[in-house]
Every structure is written in structure tokens, then in C-alpha cells.
Amino acid sequence: MKITKFIKTALADYKRVGALVPSSGYVARRITEKVCDKKSIVEYGAGEGVISREMLKRISQDAELFAFETNKKLFKDLENIKDDRFRVLNEDIRHVDRYLENEVDAVVSGVPFSFFEKKDREEIVKNTSSILSSEGVFILYQTTPLMRSVLNKYFKKVKIEYEPRNIPPYFIITAKKYD
């Protein structure tokens, strides 16, 4: 998707598209290095696929990636990614557990949690924790560290890093179910 089309899509659906421009390669690589050894990954808010494509380059041939995207235009772009390991769903992440048969090793999220009500943020994190394996990891990239307190309720270890090489800069938050 061209940058101007992405911006128009983001402005038209600003309640569900969390960024005005796609994530930078710096963000994509930092996130992917945290999950490239995982076998089953879910991505919330896959957008036009910058993070998805980077993960598909680096995950193993027997891994699988499930991408959730509610924006219809972005969903259609994601459907153009041709890779047998990739499944794209035009579904709401609040009920992610309805769409997956097994536990997953990692969840990556660019969904703008600051746009959700507090109870919805809590529900999403709780459901995410429930679909993750005991060695599971939840990685969020956000404009604020707002989610730390909610993550601390469901995960044993929460670490925040900062990536300034993005517009806007992101906090990359890694939450693990284990120490």
C-alpha cells in the first residue's frame, strides 16, 4: 500500500488504525527478533503488513502467523500476502480465543490500546494471556507505556524499551508469562 493511501485509510478509520504511517523497519526488526524462534504467532492490528512481512522472512518454515485486522482496506491488502504460513482474519481481537484452536507462543500488537475503554483493555490482555503457552510472550508497540499496569496483572515479567526511529516513536513492551 502506498503511503498516501495508508494515511487516507488511517484518517478515515482513526478509531481502529493506530498510526498515520506504517511502522518503520527499525520497529519491525526489533519486534521480529523477539519472536523469530516461535512456532505459533498472532498479530493484532496487522495494518498493511510491515511487521507481518518481516516476521515471515525470519520465522521457520513450520511456523504459523495469524494476523487480525478489522479495517477492510488493510485486510484486503493483507490477503495479498501469499505465504502458506500466514492466515489473516477480519475479526475483533476482544474474542481472539474464539478463532484459535491451540495455544500460541507469541502475540504481537500494534493495536492502539489508548483508544479502548479500560475494561476492554483488561479483557484483551486477559484473553491474550489465556491463549499464550506457559512460555508465551506478548509484545506491544505503543506511543505510551499505558499498558504496563494492566500487563503486570497477567504476566510475571514486563519490560519496556524505547524505539525513537519511528514516526511517532514507540515504546516496545514485552510481557512474559515466565521469569
Side-chain angles (χ1 to χ4, degrees):
M1 177 180 280
K2 296 206 185 274
I3 190 81
T4 53
K5 185 178 173 188
F6 184 90
I7 292 170
K8 287 178 184 177
T9 300
L11 289 172
D13 194 8
Y14 69 92
K15 286 287 188 181
R16 291 189 298 192
V17 179
L20 280 176
V21 295
S23 298
S24 71
Y26 297 106
V27 169
R29 285 186 292 280
R30 283 187 76 174
I31 290 168
T32 301
E33 70 187 16
K34 297 173 185 300
V35 299
C36 64
D37 63 332
K38 306 298 185 191
K39 296 293 183 191
S40 182
I41 305 165
V42 172
E43 183 179 8
Y44 294 166
E48 42 68 37
V50 170
I51 308 283
S52 304
R53 285 182 180 87
E54 186 67 25
M55 286 191 283
L56 289 167
K57 284 182 199 173
R58 298 189 50 199
I59 61 175
S60 69
Q61 289 303 311
D62 62 340
E64 57 187 351
L65 173 59
F66 300 90
F68 284 73
E69 179 54 61
T70 56
N71 180 280
K72 299 271 190 225
K73 288 180 183 177
L74 296 173
F75 174 76
K76 288 202 177 295
D77 283 346
L78 290 168
E79 286 186 310
N80 291 326
I81 297 175
K82 301 301 180 206
D83 191 308
D84 291 338
R85 301 168 296 166
F86 187 66
R87 308 277 184 279
V88 60
L89 296 100
N90 186 226
E91 300 293 344
D92 191 318
I93 62 168
R94 286 174 243 242
H95 310 291
V96 65
D97 54 327
R98 294 180 187 170
Y99 306 104
L100 303 171
E101 293 177 18
N102 301 309
E103 290 182 328
V104 298
D105 301 318
V107 175
V108 172
S109 179
V111 169
F113 281 97
S114 59
F115 292 3
F116 288 95
E117 297 289 326
K118 184 178 179 180
K119 68 177 179 54
D120 292 328
R121 290 193 296 260
E122 180 97 22
E123 179 183 12
I124 293 166
V125 172
K126 180 181 176 185
N127 288 344
T128 300
S129 177
S130 75
I131 65 166
L132 283 168
S133 66
S134 60
E135 297 293 313
V137 62
F138 185 21
I139 300 164
L140 299 82
Y141 52 103
Q142 306 282 296
T143 58
T144 74
L146 165 78
M147 293 300 292
R148 180 179 213 144
S149 62
V150 179
L151 292 167
N152 281 331
K153 292 180 184 179
Y154 297 94
F155 293 89
K156 289 186 178 185
K157 185 175 183 181
V158 177
K159 179 181 177 186
I160 298 178
E161 301 169 276
Y162 187 68
E163 178 51 71
R165 298 169 294 181
N166 194 70
I167 300 172
Y170 278 140
F171 291 92
I172 298 174
I173 309 165
T174 304
K176 295 180 179 181
K177 290 182 86 172
Y178 58 94
D179 284 328

PDB file of all heavy atoms in Angstrom, residues 94-105:
ATOM      1  N   ARG A  94     -10.939  -8.759  20.676  1.00  0.00           N
ATOM      2  CA  ARG A  94     -11.530  -8.944  22.006  1.00  0.00           C
ATOM      3  C   ARG A  94     -11.935 -10.396  22.244  1.00  0.00           C
ATOM      4  O   ARG A  94     -12.062 -10.831  23.378  1.00  0.00           O
ATOM      5  CB  ARG A  94     -12.748  -8.042  22.185  1.00  0.00           C
ATOM      6  CG  ARG A  94     -12.407  -6.597  22.396  1.00  0.00           C
ATOM      7  CD  ARG A  94     -13.682  -5.801  22.400  1.00  0.00           C
ATOM      8  NE  ARG A  94     -13.683  -4.877  21.306  1.00  0.00           N
ATOM      9  CZ  ARG A  94     -13.731  -3.559  21.439  1.00  0.00           C
ATOM     10  NH1 ARG A  94     -13.806  -3.022  22.629  1.00  0.00           N
ATOM     11  NH2 ARG A  94     -13.713  -2.785  20.398  1.00  0.00           N
ATOM     12  N   HIS A  95     -12.144 -11.114  21.166  1.00  0.00           N
ATOM     13  CA  HIS A  95     -12.587 -12.505  21.270  1.00  0.00           C
ATOM     14  C   HIS A  95     -11.620 -13.433  20.523  1.00  0.00           C
ATOM     15  O   HIS A  95     -12.046 -14.394  19.888  1.00  0.00           O
ATOM     16  CB  HIS A  95     -14.005 -12.643  20.722  1.00  0.00           C
ATOM     17  CG  HIS A  95     -14.945 -11.633  21.286  1.00  0.00           C
ATOM     18  ND1 HIS A  95     -15.343 -11.647  22.608  1.00  0.00           N
ATOM     19  CD2 HIS A  95     -15.527 -10.546  20.739  1.00  0.00           C
ATOM     20  CE1 HIS A  95     -16.140 -10.619  22.834  1.00  0.00           C
ATOM     21  NE2 HIS A  95     -16.268  -9.933  21.720  1.00  0.00           N
ATOM     22  N   VAL A  96     -10.344 -13.146  20.635  1.00  0.00           N
ATOM     23  CA  VAL A  96      -9.313 -13.897  19.919  1.00  0.00           C
ATOM     24  C   VAL A  96      -9.396 -15.392  20.211  1.00  0.00           C
ATOM     25  O   VAL A  96      -9.149 -16.218  19.333  1.00  0.00           O
ATOM     26  CB  VAL A  96      -7.905 -13.330  20.219  1.00  0.00           C
ATOM     27  CG1 VAL A  96      -7.529 -13.508  21.671  1.00  0.00           C
ATOM     28  CG2 VAL A  96      -6.861 -13.934  19.306  1.00  0.00           C
ATOM     29  N   ASP A  97      -9.777 -15.736  21.419  1.00  0.00           N
ATOM     30  CA  ASP A  97      -9.832 -17.147  21.806  1.00  0.00           C
ATOM     31  C   ASP A  97     -10.847 -17.946  20.983  1.00  0.00           C
ATOM     32  O   ASP A  97     -10.743 -19.165  20.881  1.00  0.00           O
ATOM     33  CB  ASP A  97     -10.125 -17.280  23.308  1.00  0.00           C
ATOM     34  CG  ASP A  97     -11.364 -16.525  23.757  1.00  0.00           C
ATOM     35  OD1 ASP A  97     -11.673 -15.446  23.191  1.00  0.00           O
ATOM     36  OD2 ASP A  97     -12.036 -17.004  24.682  1.00  0.00           O
ATOM     37  N   ARG A  98     -11.802 -17.297  20.366  1.00  0.00           N
ATOM     38  CA  ARG A  98     -12.807 -17.982  19.540  1.00  0.00           C
ATOM     39  C   ARG A  98     -12.230 -18.465  18.205  1.00  0.00           C
ATOM     40  O   ARG A  98     -12.817 -19.331  17.561  1.00  0.00           O
ATOM     41  CB  ARG A  98     -13.972 -17.040  19.226  1.00  0.00           C
ATOM     42  CG  ARG A  98     -14.778 -16.638  20.419  1.00  0.00           C
ATOM     43  CD  ARG A  98     -15.883 -15.712  19.994  1.00  0.00           C
ATOM     44  NE  ARG A  98     -16.578 -15.175  21.152  1.00  0.00           N
ATOM     45  CZ  ARG A  98     -17.467 -14.203  21.083  1.00  0.00           C
ATOM     46  NH1 ARG A  98     -17.776 -13.660  19.923  1.00  0.00           N
ATOM     47  NH2 ARG A  98     -18.045 -13.768  22.189  1.00  0.00           N
ATOM     48  N   TYR A  99     -11.126 -17.878  17.784  1.00  0.00           N
ATOM     49  CA  TYR A  99     -10.613 -18.131  16.440  1.00  0.00           C
ATOM     50  C   TYR A  99      -9.375 -19.027  16.397  1.00  0.00           C
ATOM     51  O   TYR A  99      -8.915 -19.366  15.315  1.00  0.00           O
ATOM     52  CB  TYR A  99     -10.306 -16.801  15.743  1.00  0.00           C
ATOM     53  CG  TYR A  99     -11.497 -15.880  15.765  1.00  0.00           C
ATOM     54  CD1 TYR A  99     -11.552 -14.802  16.631  1.00  0.00           C
ATOM     55  CD2 TYR A  99     -12.600 -16.118  14.953  1.00  0.00           C
ATOM     56  CE1 TYR A  99     -12.655 -13.965  16.670  1.00  0.00           C
ATOM     57  CE2 TYR A  99     -13.712 -15.298  14.986  1.00  0.00           C
ATOM     58  CZ  TYR A  99     -13.733 -14.227  15.852  1.00  0.00           C
ATOM     59  OH  TYR A  99     -14.835 -13.416  15.888  1.00  0.00           O
ATOM     60  N   LEU A 100      -8.851 -19.386  17.535  1.00  0.00           N
ATOM     61  CA  LEU A 100      -7.645 -20.201  17.580  1.00  0.00           C
ATOM     62  C   LEU A 100      -7.944 -21.536  18.247  1.00  0.00           C
ATOM     63  O   LEU A 100      -8.611 -21.586  19.272  1.00  0.00           O
ATOM     64  CB  LEU A 100      -6.541 -19.467  18.346  1.00  0.00           C
ATOM     65  CG  LEU A 100      -6.161 -18.095  17.796  1.00  0.00           C
ATOM     66  CD1 LEU A 100      -5.226 -17.385  18.751  1.00  0.00           C
ATOM     67  CD2 LEU A 100      -5.524 -18.224  16.425  1.00  0.00           C
ATOM     68  N   GLU A 101      -7.432 -22.609  17.670  1.00  0.00           N
ATOM     69  CA  GLU A 101      -7.686 -23.943  18.217  1.00  0.00           C
ATOM     70  C   GLU A 101      -6.705 -24.313  19.325  1.00  0.00           C
ATOM     71  O   GLU A 101      -7.035 -25.064  20.227  1.00  0.00           O
ATOM     72  CB  GLU A 101      -7.614 -24.980  17.101  1.00  0.00           C
ATOM     73  CG  GLU A 101      -8.734 -24.830  16.095  1.00  0.00           C
ATOM     74  CD  GLU A 101      -8.615 -25.818  14.952  1.00  0.00           C
ATOM     75  OE1 GLU A 101      -7.897 -26.821  15.099  1.00  0.00           O
ATOM     76  OE2 GLU A 101      -9.249 -25.578  13.914  1.00  0.00           O
ATOM     77  N   ASN A 102      -5.481 -23.805  19.250  1.00  0.00           N
ATOM     78  CA  ASN A 102      -4.429 -24.169  20.196  1.00  0.00           C
ATOM     79  C   ASN A 102      -3.803 -22.930  20.827  1.00  0.00           C
ATOM     80  O   ASN A 102      -3.978 -21.818  20.327  1.00  0.00           O
ATOM     81  CB  ASN A 102      -3.338 -24.971  19.480  1.00  0.00           C
ATOM     82  CG  ASN A 102      -3.881 -26.224  18.845  1.00  0.00           C
ATOM     83  OD1 ASN A 102      -4.572 -27.010  19.484  1.00  0.00           O
ATOM     84  ND2 ASN A 102      -3.589 -26.416  17.567  1.00  0.00           N
ATOM     85  N   GLU A 103      -3.030 -23.165  21.882  1.00  0.00           N
ATOM     86  CA  GLU A 103      -2.262 -22.080  22.476  1.00  0.00           C
ATOM     87  C   GLU A 103      -1.225 -21.587  21.469  1.00  0.00           C
ATOM     88  O   GLU A 103      -0.823 -22.321  20.572  1.00  0.00           O
ATOM     89  CB  GLU A 103      -1.525 -22.566  23.726  1.00  0.00           C
ATOM     90  CG  GLU A 103      -2.425 -22.877  24.888  1.00  0.00           C
ATOM     91  CD  GLU A 103      -1.633 -23.309  26.107  1.00  0.00           C
ATOM     92  OE1 GLU A 103      -0.560 -23.934  25.958  1.00  0.00           O
ATOM     93  OE2 GLU A 103      -2.093 -23.024  27.215  1.00  0.00           O
ATOM     94  N   VAL A 104      -0.801 -20.345  21.634  1.00  0.00           N
ATOM     95  CA  VAL A 104       0.220 -19.770  20.761  1.00  0.00           C
ATOM     96  C   VAL A 104       1.443 -19.391  21.581  1.00  0.00           C
ATOM     97  O   VAL A 104       1.372 -19.267  22.806  1.00  0.00           O
ATOM     98  CB  VAL A 104      -0.319 -18.561  19.968  1.00  0.00           C
ATOM     99  CG1 VAL A 104      -1.457 -18.975  19.048  1.00  0.00           C
ATOM    100  CG2 VAL A 104      -0.755 -17.436  20.886  1.00  0.00           C
ATOM    101  N   ASP A 105       2.571 -19.210  20.898  1.00  0.00           N
ATOM    102  CA  ASP A 105       3.837 -18.887  21.559  1.00  0.00           C
ATOM    103  C   ASP A 105       4.054 -17.390  21.734  1.00  0.00           C
ATOM    104  O   ASP A 105       4.793 -16.972  22.621  1.00  0.00           O
ATOM    105  CB  ASP A 105       5.008 -19.457  20.754  1.00  0.00           C
ATOM    106  CG  ASP A 105       4.904 -20.959  20.599  1.00  0.00           C
ATOM    107  OD1 ASP A 105       4.562 -21.636  21.580  1.00  0.00           O
ATOM    108  OD2 ASP A 105       5.165 -21.451  19.482  1.00  0.00           O
TER     109      ASP A 105
END
